[in-house]
């Protein structure tokens, strides 16, 4: 009453004939849709206008509602928090792996170990990211790609880029005076990498990693649109896809 609620519908079950007729009299039931009522049962399966109910008549969804009667503002806030958490997990995981791998590789710059480690990163980087997602998605998730399955797949795929940047900065800093002083007092290679080289490279690598925030965030939507998964639950990708459909 007094609201444009007729495009908002929700499936509901009434457990008694009296409750059903009261809802019908109040104008809550969508009479244009069929009512399921089995003989000998008091259950009525009906479509209702949720915001026409007495407890919700003064509730005005700011952004409107979807076809299930859920207001978009609530759905967007929950979906946005999920996709931001997903993106942060991917960036943190790939940055940690890339820093450790790139730091160790850079400390062996020019050796056979550096060449082998560089081959590994180049092999991963040379294959298109989408192909890796398909390979890992089919091989290790049974074809059921969830948001959290996708997060570890993207961590495995994206760390080589961080490692390559880290390697460059480690090579740059490895001959600085403070590193040479650490060698003179007997610090081992691994300790020098962890306590001197990586802390100095961290700021530059973090900027590079954060620049990928938007690209990581759009992966669920991209995979949903090309049909590699049917749903990621309540997520921005599903909201966009439902609106597009």
């Amino acid at each position: 009453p007094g609201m444009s609620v007729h495009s908002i519908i929700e499936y509901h079950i009434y457990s008694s004939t009296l409750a059903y007729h009261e809802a019908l009299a109040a104008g809550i039931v969508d009479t244009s849709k069929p009512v399921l009522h089995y003989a000998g049962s008091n259950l009525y399966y009906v479509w209702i206008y949720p915001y026409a109910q007495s407890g919700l008549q003064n509730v005005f969804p700011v952004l409107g509602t979807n076809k299930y009667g859920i207001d978009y503002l609530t759905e967007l806030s929950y979906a946005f928090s999920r996709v931001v958490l997903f993106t942060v997990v991917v960036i943190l995981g790939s940055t940690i792996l890339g820093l450790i791998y790139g730091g160790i590789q850079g400390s062996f710059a020019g050796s056979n170990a550096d060449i082998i480690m560089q081959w590994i990163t180049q092999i991963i980087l040379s294959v298109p990211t989408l192909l890796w997602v398909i390979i890992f998605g089919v091989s290790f998730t049974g074809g059921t790609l969830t948001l959290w399955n996708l997060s570890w797949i993207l961590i495995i795929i994206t760390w080589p880029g961080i490692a390559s940047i880290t390697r460059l900065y480690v090579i740059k800093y490895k001959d600085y005076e403070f590193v040479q002083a650490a060698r003179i007092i007997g610090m081992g290679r691994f300790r020098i990498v962890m306590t001197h080289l990586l802390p100095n490279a961290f700021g530059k690598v973090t900027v590079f990693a954060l620049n990928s925030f938007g690209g990581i965030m759009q992966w669920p939507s991209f995979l949903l649109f090309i049909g590699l998964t049917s749903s990621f639950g309540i997520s921005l990708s599903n909201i966009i896809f439902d609106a597009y459909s």
Side-chain angles (χ1 to χ4, degrees), residues 78-87 89-90 141 144-155 216-221 223 229 231-238:
Y78 179 74
F80 186 73
S81 64
R82 287 190 76 212
V83 76
V84 168
L85 179 60
F86 157 79
T87 307
V89 168
V90 173
T141 67
T144 305
L145 196 61
T146 66
L147 202 61
W148 307 117
N149 288 339
L150 180 61
S151 66
W152 67 258
I153 290 173
L154 289 177
I155 289 172
I216 298 295
M217 185 180 284
Q218 70 182 3
W219 264 101
S221 300
L223 295 177
T229 184
S231 174
F232 284 111
I234 299 178
S235 62
L236 291 179
S237 55
N238 280 80

Side-chain angles (χ1 to χ4, degrees), residues 34-115:
V35 176
L36 296 179
H37 177 229
Y38 298 101
S41 170
N42 289 326
L43 297 179
Y44 289 81
Y45 300 83
V46 300
W47 290 95
I48 67 169
Y49 302 121
Y51 287 95
Q53 298 179 89
S54 58
L56 298 176
Q57 287 181 7
N58 295 321
V59 176
F60 295 87
V62 177
L63 301 179
T65 61
N66 62 16
K67 61 185 179 181
Y68 303 109
I70 302 173
D71 68 284
Y72 276 119
L73 184 60
T74 301
E75 194 173 22
L76 278 171
S77 61
Y78 179 74
F80 186 73
S81 64
R82 287 190 76 212
V83 76
V84 168
L85 179 60
F86 157 79
T87 307
V88 169
V89 168
V90 173
I91 290 177
L92 278 177
S94 61
T95 301
I96 292 171
L97 284 178
L99 279 170
I100 295 173
Y101 189 94
I104 295 172
Q105 183 184 357
S107 68
F108 287 101
S111 66
N112 290 332
D114 178 36
I115 295 173

Side-chain angles (χ1 to χ4, degrees), residues 3-245:
M3 296 176 58
S4 56
V5 297
H6 296 287
S7 62
I8 305 167
I9 55 177
E10 181 183 75
Y11 201 57
H12 197 78
I13 302 174
Y14 287 99
S15 58
S16 71
T17 304
L18 178 62
Y20 166 67
H21 285 290
E22 286 177 349
L24 195 63
I28 297 174
V29 178
D30 181 7
T31 55
S32 66
K33 295 188 177 294
V35 176
L36 296 179
H37 177 229
Y38 298 101
S41 170
N42 289 326
L43 297 179
Y44 289 81
Y45 300 83
V46 300
W47 290 95
I48 67 169
Y49 302 121
Y51 287 95
Q53 298 179 89
S54 58
L56 298 176
Q57 287 181 7
N58 295 321
V59 176
F60 295 87
V62 177
L63 301 179
T65 61
N66 62 16
K67 61 185 179 181
Y68 303 109
I70 302 173
D71 68 284
Y72 276 119
L73 184 60
T74 301
E75 194 173 22
L76 278 171
S77 61
Y78 179 74
F80 186 73
S81 64
R82 287 190 76 212
V83 76
V84 168
L85 179 60
F86 157 79
T87 307
V88 169
V89 168
V90 173
I91 290 177
L92 278 177
S94 61
T95 301
I96 292 171
L97 284 178
L99 279 170
I100 295 173
Y101 189 94
I104 295 172
Q105 183 184 357
S107 68
F108 287 101
S111 66
N112 290 332
D114 178 36
I115 295 173
I116 294 172
M117 295 176 79
Q118 188 65 20
W119 282 349
I120 294 172
T121 58
Q122 290 301 319
I123 289 171
I124 297 174
L125 291 172
S126 63
V127 178
T129 305
L130 178 59
L131 186 56
W132 279 126
V133 171
I134 294 172
I135 292 171
F136 284 115
V138 172
S139 302
F140 299 105
T141 67
T144 305
L145 196 61
T146 66
L147 202 61
W148 307 117
N149 288 339
L150 180 61
S151 66
W152 67 258
I153 290 173
L154 289 177
I155 289 172
I156 294 173
I157 297 169
T158 55
W159 69 263
I162 304 292
S164 298
I165 299 297
T166 304
R167 174 181 176 272
L168 293 177
Y169 283 110
V170 168
I171 292 173
K172 175 183 176 181
Y173 293 131
K174 65 182 292 189
D175 292 324
Y176 276 29
E177 288 82 358
F178 65 91
V179 178
Q180 292 178 3
R183 291 197 189 100
I184 291 171
I185 63 174
M187 269 195 184
R189 184 195 304 270
F190 185 76
R191 188 177 176 189
I192 290 174
V193 170
M194 291 300 171
T195 60
H196 292 291
L197 296 176
L198 289 187
N200 281 279
F202 181 77
K204 287 82 174 175
V205 174
T206 301
V207 173
F208 176 82
L210 290 177
N211 284 336
S212 64
F213 197 95
I216 298 295
M217 185 180 284
Q218 70 182 3
W219 264 101
S221 300
F222 172 65
L223 295 177
L224 193 63
F225 267 84
I226 64 175
L228 284 183
T229 184
S230 57
S231 174
F232 284 111
I234 299 178
S235 62
L236 291 179
S237 55
N238 280 80
I239 294 174
I240 296 169
F241 187 73
D242 287 342
Y244 178 80
S245 301

